[in-house]
Amino acid sequence: MRNARKVMKKDLDKVFKFPSAIFSTLILPGLILFLIYALMGSTTSSLISGDEDYFSKIHIINAPQSFEVYTTDEIGDELKIDYSFGEGTDNTVDLEKLENGDYDLVIIFENNFDEGLSNNTKPLLSVYNEHTSMSSLGAMDKISGLINQYKESLLQEKGIDPIIISDAYASVTDINKSNAFGLATILPMIIVIFVFAGSMSIGADAIAGEKERGTLASLLMAPIKRNDLILGKVFSTSIISLLSSISSFLGVLAALPFMKSMFGLQGGVTYGVGSYLQLLVVIVLLAAFASSLVLVCSTIAKSVKEATNYALPVYFVAMLVAILTMFATWKTDLYLFAIPIYNIAIGLKGILSFELMTSQLIVVVVSNIIYICGLVFLLVRLFKSEKILYSK
Amino acid sequence: MKINQTKDPLKVAVDDISFSTFAGEIFGLLGANGAGKTTTLRCIATLIKQDEGQISVMGVDNSDDLAVKQKIGFLTNEINLENQFTPNYLFRYFARFHDLDDETIEQRRDDLFTRFDINSFAETKIGDLSTGMKQKVSIAVSLVHDPDIIIFDEPTNGLDVITARVVTDYLQEMRNRGKTVIISTHIMSLVEKICDRVGIIIDGKIEMCDTVSNILNNNPGMDMEEIFFNIYSRKVVEL
């Protein structure tokens, strides 16, 4: 294990001791993502705000008296909102209309909302939009400002304790879930693609590059167990690809303000410590899995170019799976959480959208540990083959 | 010893090779390209496992690769050092695999870097060095643990005259210090010049193994090159 650490240290030094390597491996991915998404976000934002004459169709159900002042014709004309109203508890038809584009937004107030406010029974306010519709996102922009004003007026005019208001509106979880859904749609794809890209850039060179340059022979002559050598390579490649993906992640976070209108993110999304830990575990497993997979390609190959060629199909599969996961509806069949790569993507999606169950997380973690162990075992076997190690 | 290690799965790379080397001598494996010299040396150095037979390095079977590697310094032109690191970095990096303490590492570094005139470019990246400089660093790195046995595959291949001279001088110096030196080469003059004993290997078999002086004395009027070609021609006719 001590020797594995030494191998790992040298491989890490390859990156951390050279500013150009630090830039290309750790900074550039985040920077590129930031630029791409900032540009995309700005473009989308201008697309939405570009249609200034469009009247958003917002349907309000059980509108309480306290909210009437925000639904007047004056407000409607000013903000370009075409209000319609309804009542009842069964809103299926209205939500279907939203889905079909008859409405841009549906706001549902719980029955006797004002009474609930007065009695502190935490009445529910739900806002439904259609993520894929630009006009719905535009309507969401307009209504979120009004809801904030509404909250402030309740506080000022009714003298409700701010903590109670906060508690009452905390039960309005749809916005948070909606934001989470937006993140859960894009982040898993970005994370999977960038972790694999990071693994490819480092892993392809880790063994094939050393073979090609003749530097692996000097390492093989050192009194070091081949298992330690492999573990050192797996650790260093995983760490670099993990850091690279964190850089990408930070790039996405930095670009979030530009992406709000693109993905309908209103305000923020609140994740607990548990969610962050789950994310960390799954991303670490993804980095180790991707690294091990690319290292297998690198070991079989005679050159970096060949290793990249072997790893490219794997990368494309990962990319495809990640993109498909973006559009996949949430399913709970446990076996899905054991499918390589796909399980990571839906695992990430489940964590970000608050839908992942403990049993599903366990399957994701255990199955990936098994896959990683299998790949490391395969690497050990390959390292015992002279034909593979000395192929040139 | 028998090894099936060629691109042709049916061809035996090395067959029935048997020889011993001793402390304080330079043993040369002389043969044409593809004769099996490198494969033999790789087996001794535990980089390849032979299919049959035994190899003992100072009483240690070569199946115990870690113990054997502690006793051997293996050099080949196929071994390169990573371009982005400096000689100082790589020397210390490889030294730590041998569990040497910092003081010993620095002492060994001073000795070897001075011996091979590396100090002036000890902080220069390998990628910026000439072939001769790289070769000197490779030698220093592979001798970091002061091994009792030095194996050098084609020691002067690709080297300029001056660096080649530095290398051959060093190998003789090691022999004089009681080390065992094994080299493989296809350069006949090198064998005559520095080897004490030689094994002539043709098509995976040792056809002759004796001291250089005995071989030359037994073939009066012939130099090593003529002797080699005589054996080679005879072998080709037999095949």
Side-chain angles (χ1 to χ4, degrees):
Chain A
M1 214 44 197
R2 273 192 316 139
N3 284 333
R5 208 168 60 235
K6 291 169 192 166
V7 172
M8 178 186 79
K9 188 182 173 303
K10 189 209 72 176
D11 280 8
L12 292 179
D13 283 347
K14 273 187 194 172
V15 172
F16 290 114
K17 283 189 178 289
F18 302 97
S20 58
I22 291 174
F23 178 74
S24 62
T25 312
L26 306 181
I27 297 171
L28 196 61
L31 193 63
I32 288 172
L33 264 181
F34 168 75
L35 291 173
I36 289 171
Y37 281 100
L39 194 68
M40 282 169 66
S42 302
T43 311
T44 313
S45 187
S46 66
L47 272 175
I48 294 168
S49 58
D51 194 2
E52 287 177 358
D53 293 324
Y54 179 74
F55 270 75
S56 304
K57 294 170 282 184
I58 297 178
H59 188 67
I60 303 178
I61 298 167
N62 303 328
Q65 198 180 355
S66 59
F67 194 70
E68 272 179 9
V69 67
Y70 300 100
T71 59
T72 59
D73 289 342
E74 286 79 8
I75 294 279
D77 288 337
E78 188 187 334
L79 294 177
K80 303 259 189 302
I81 297 173
D82 187 4
Y83 285 115
S84 60
F85 301 93
E87 282 184 3
T89 48
D90 184 4
N91 311 303
T92 318
V93 176
D94 295 314
L95 292 178
E96 274 176 11
K97 283 185 174 179
L98 172 66
E99 215 171 328
N100 296 335
D102 296 324
Y103 298 137
D104 294 321
L105 209 67
V106 172
I107 303 172
I108 303 170
F109 288 87
E110 191 179 308
N111 269 333
N112 305 317
F113 188 88
D114 283 343
E115 269 181 50
L117 277 179
S118 307
N119 301 333
N120 294 335
T121 55
K122 300 182 180 177
L124 184 67
L125 164 63
S126 307
V127 179
Y128 292 93
N129 72 349
E130 170 54 60
H131 271 102
T132 57
S133 160
M134 288 296 178
S135 52
S136 182
L137 294 176
M140 193 72 185
D141 265 348
K142 293 171 186 174
I143 209 68
S144 60
L146 286 179
I147 288 174
N148 283 338
Q149 282 180 38
Y150 175 51
K151 286 178 187 173
E152 282 171 20
S153 74
L154 284 174
L155 177 66
Q156 287 167 1
E157 292 166 17
K158 302 210 181 243
I160 296 171
D161 188 302
I163 297 170
I164 294 168
I165 292 171
S166 173
D167 283 346
Y169 281 94
S171 65
V172 184
T173 54
D174 291 321
I175 291 174
N176 196 44
K177 273 193 173 179
S178 172
N179 287 342
F181 178 78
L183 285 180
T185 304
I186 51 164
L187 281 186
M189 178 197 68
I190 292 168
I191 291 169
V192 169
I193 288 174
F194 272 79
V195 167
F196 265 90
S199 299
M200 271 187 69
S201 65
I202 301 293
D205 180 78
I207 295 170
E210 293 227 29
K211 264 200 260 184
E212 196 176 6
R213 294 188 297 272
T215 52
L216 186 64
S218 55
L219 207 49
L220 291 172
M221 263 318 293
I224 169 178
K225 286 181 185 167
R226 297 210 172 163
N227 296 6
D228 287 345
L229 178 58
I230 292 160
L231 282 178
K233 293 281 180 194
V234 171
F235 289 152
S236 58
T237 309
S238 302
I239 289 170
I240 299 293
S241 61
L242 186 67
L243 291 176
S244 178
S245 63
I246 286 172
S247 163
S248 313
F249 191 74
L250 291 176
V252 173
L253 287 184
L256 269 181
F258 301 93
M259 297 159 67
K260 277 187 174 181
S261 44
M262 184 176 164
F263 294 104
L265 304 178
Q266 306 302 323
V269 185
T270 308
Y271 292 108
V273 178
S275 296
Y276 283 110
L277 283 175
Q278 288 176 1
L279 276 178
L280 183 69
V281 168
V282 174
I283 293 174
V284 166
L285 285 171
L286 170 63
F289 176 76
S291 302
S292 308
L293 203 56
V294 176
L295 282 177
V296 169
C297 298
S298 185
T299 306
I300 296 166
K302 294 171 186 168
S303 64
V304 177
K305 193 179 172 189
E306 201 177 316
T308 309
N309 288 342
Y310 290 155
L312 261 180
V314 177
Y315 178 58
F316 285 137
V317 168
M319 210 158 72
L320 192 67
V321 169
I323 291 169
L324 284 176
T325 313
M326 266 184 88
F327 306 106
T329 51
W330 183 252
K331 289 177 183 169
T332 53
D333 301 318
L334 218 49
Y335 75 91
L336 292 172
F337 296 84
I339 299 172
I341 305 174
Y342 181 72
N343 60 2
I344 291 277
I346 55 168
L348 289 170
K349 189 171 184 173
I351 294 167
L352 289 166
S353 60
F354 306 107
E355 288 177 294
L356 191 73
M357 291 186 286
T358 309
S359 58
Q360 295 163 342
L361 179 67
I362 289 170
V363 175
V364 171
V365 171
V366 172
S367 61
N368 274 289
I369 289 174
I370 292 170
Y371 298 141
I372 293 163
C373 289
L375 288 167
V376 171
F377 178 75
L378 179 61
L379 279 168
V380 172
R381 299 281 299 176
L382 290 172
F383 258 71
K384 285 179 180 165
S385 165
E386 284 78 28
K387 278 181 186 167
I388 282 174
L389 276 190
Y390 296 102
S391 58
K392 260 197 165 184
Chain B
M1 181 170 71
K2 183 175 179 176
I3 308 133
N4 189 347
Q5 177 66 30
T6 63
K7 286 175 185 171
D8 178 355
L10 298 175
K11 188 181 176 186
V12 176
V14 172
D15 189 15
D16 199 26
I17 278 192
S18 181
F19 65 89
S20 300
T21 60
F22 306 99
E25 76 166 13
I26 298 178
F27 182 88
L29 267 179
L30 181 63
N33 288 345
K37 306 186 296 291
T38 300
T39 305
T40 305
L41 296 187
R42 279 180 179 171
C43 278
I44 298 169
T46 74
L47 295 175
I48 296 176
K49 178 116 184 78
Q50 71 275 12
D51 298 322
E52 291 174 22
Q54 279 187 318
I55 298 171
S56 177
V57 179
M58 297 179 72
V60 178
D61 190 87
N62 77 330
S63 57
D64 185 356
D65 64 328
L66 296 188
V68 170
K69 282 173 183 170
Q70 292 284 12
K71 299 177 187 302
I72 286 179
F74 184 77
L75 287 125
T76 164
N77 290 314
E78 287 178 355
I79 291 181
N80 291 311
L81 299 170
E82 302 214 38
N83 283 337
Q84 61 266 58
F85 293 111
T86 64
N88 270 338
Y89 179 94
L90 288 168
F91 188 88
R92 289 174 186 135
Y93 170 68
F94 282 103
R96 290 193 184 102
F97 285 120
H98 293 277
D99 290 330
L100 300 177
D101 59 70
D102 287 349
E103 195 183 334
T104 310
I105 291 172
E106 289 313 306
Q107 194 187 329
R108 294 286 305 154
R109 192 189 68 86
D110 287 345
D111 289 348
L112 287 164
F113 278 28
T114 303
R115 175 67 183 75
F116 290 108
D117 291 327
I118 295 172
N119 285 315
S120 59
F121 51 88
E123 278 301 327
T124 307
K125 285 181 187 173
I126 296 291
D128 296 331
L129 301 180
S130 68
T131 307
M133 287 169 167
K134 286 178 187 171
Q135 187 70 357
K136 286 177 178 178
V137 178
S138 285
I139 295 169
V141 164
S142 60
L143 299 177
V144 61
H145 53 305
D146 194 19
D148 292 312
I149 299 168
I150 296 158
I151 299 175
F152 210 146
D153 189 15
E154 302 283 3
T156 55
N157 253 20
L159 297 184
D160 61 77
V161 178
I162 296 166
T163 313
R165 182 61 182 260
V166 170
V167 171
T168 52
D169 283 354
Y170 188 73
L171 292 178
Q172 291 177 89
E173 186 185 319
M174 288 296 102
R175 183 247 324 265
N176 297 339
R177 279 175 51 190
K179 309 276 187 189
T180 303
V181 180
I182 305 172
I183 65 165
S184 76
T185 184
H186 60 276
I187 302 170
M188 317 292 166
S189 58
L190 183 68
V191 172
E192 276 187 60
K193 186 179 167 192
I194 70 167
C195 289
D196 300 295
R197 289 194 308 127
V198 64
I200 295 176
I201 182 168
I202 295 171
D203 204 26
K205 289 178 185 288
I206 287 204
E207 297 297 330
M208 182 180 282
C209 187
D210 206 341
T211 62
V212 173
S213 54
N214 276 351
I215 291 174
L216 291 173
N217 289 338
N218 293 338
N219 297 277
M222 294 168 77
D223 61 12
M224 192 57 77
E225 190 170 321
E226 284 175 277
I227 297 166
F228 176 82
F229 275 102
N230 274 344
I231 298 170
Y232 185 79
S233 306
R234 208 165 52 230
K235 184 72 185 171
V236 168
V237 170
E238 280 175 22
L239 290 171

